[in-house]
Amino acid sequence: MSSGFGLNGGPSRCFPFWQEVLACYVVNTTSDDDSGKRKCAPVLEDYYECLHHKKEATRVRALQAAYRKAEAANPRDDAPKAGQIRNLGLLDKGDDTKTVLGK
């Protein structure tokens, strides 16, 4: 929040970014001329990213898509077969029992 108070009473996570935006506006603008706001665009962009995480979410989606594409293009050669999966003892339970008991 731009007020500076977070949910737990302390400063919010984006409050330092908001202070940078305000400092930029104070330094680069006057009451007569506000053309200096263009200089504050990168700082304002950082503040919006802190609030909404849009760039981060876009990067995460791109990485996940690339990972899924690479996994689909190169299937595992050593992937276990359905009969080999016995972690829960659901498949071929009788054979596992015979193996464990030695019968």
Side-chain angles (χ1 to χ4, degrees), residues 59-103:
R59 281 190 215 112
V60 167
R61 279 193 294 271
L63 284 171
Q64 287 174 340
Y67 180 77
R68 288 186 189 114
K69 183 178 178 183
E71 249 191 14
N74 303 321
R76 286 179 38 187
D77 294 334
D78 61 345
K81 306 289 184 238
Q84 296 171 334
I85 300 173
R86 296 187 178 96
N87 291 341
L88 299 175
L90 299 175
L91 300 175
D92 296 330
K93 188 174 181 179
D95 294 339
D96 280 342
T97 304
K98 290 177 187 173
T99 305
V100 171
L101 296 177
K103 294 183 180 179

Side-chain angles (χ1 to χ4, degrees), residues 5-6 8 14 22 35 47 49-51 62 74 80 91 99 101:
F5 294 104
N8 298 324
C14 298
L22 288 181
S35 62
Y47 175 63
E49 175 60 22
C50 179
L51 286 176
N74 303 321
L91 300 175
T99 305
L101 296 177

Side-chain angles (χ1 to χ4, degrees), residues 18-37:
W18 177 248
Q19 287 179 320
E20 287 181 27
V21 170
L22 288 181
C24 183
Y25 281 165
V26 167
V27 169
N28 294 311
T29 61
T30 63
S31 60
D32 299 330
D33 182 29
D34 62 348
S35 62
K37 285 184 179 180

Side-chain angles (χ1 to χ4, degrees), residues 1-16 18-19:
M1 300 173 136
S2 61
S3 66
F5 294 104
L7 296 174
N8 298 324
S12 66
R13 68 170 193 262
C14 298
F15 185 65
W18 177 248
Q19 287 179 320

